[in-house]
Amino acid sequence: MLKTKTLIAAVAVSLGLLSVSSAAYAAYPEKDITVVIPKNPGGGTDTTARGVINMMQKDFSVKFLPVNKPDGNGIVGMADVAAAKHTRDLKYYTGN
């Protein structure tokens, strides 16, 4: 009998924690996201990235801001995203 009550209490606490944790992440991300595109505007990578951005825009409450960084065979864009770690900016790097 005691084991059953303990199990029920553990399940209730677990469910309560799950509902709190899901509510805590519901609003993430809160800031706009810069999408770094490592190619020139108008090319295939740029067009594909912007298409994906348009689809993602429908599912999130934040804006996705495309930025082209074509120099250095993608290294300039990677460096920009890596530097964002220290500024708390949200950046995403699209593939080459």
Side-chain angles (χ1 to χ4, degrees):
M1 183 74 167
L2 183 59
K3 288 183 181 180
T4 304
K5 288 182 180 180
T6 304
L7 179 62
I8 291 172
V11 169
V13 169
S14 297
L15 290 175
L17 290 175
L18 286 175
S19 65
V20 170
S21 64
S22 64
Y25 291 109
Y28 185 81
E30 297 173 348
K31 297 166 75 174
D32 293 344
I33 299 172
T34 301
V35 180
V36 178
I37 304 168
K39 297 289 184 179
N40 288 317
T45 302
D46 180 60
T47 303
T48 302
R50 289 174 188 270
V52 171
I53 288 169
N54 287 336
M55 287 188 290
M56 290 171 58
Q57 194 72 49
K58 297 173 187 174
D59 294 330
F60 292 91
S61 61
V62 298
K63 292 181 181 177
F64 289 84
L65 310 169
V67 175
N68 293 84
K69 301 254 180 180
D71 297 328
N73 200 24
I75 294 174
V76 173
M78 281 188 220
D80 185 45
V81 173
K85 172 183 165 185
H86 303 290
T87 63
R88 301 278 185 207
D89 289 338
L90 296 174
K91 293 194 177 187
Y92 177 75
Y93 181 80
T94 62
N96 274 341

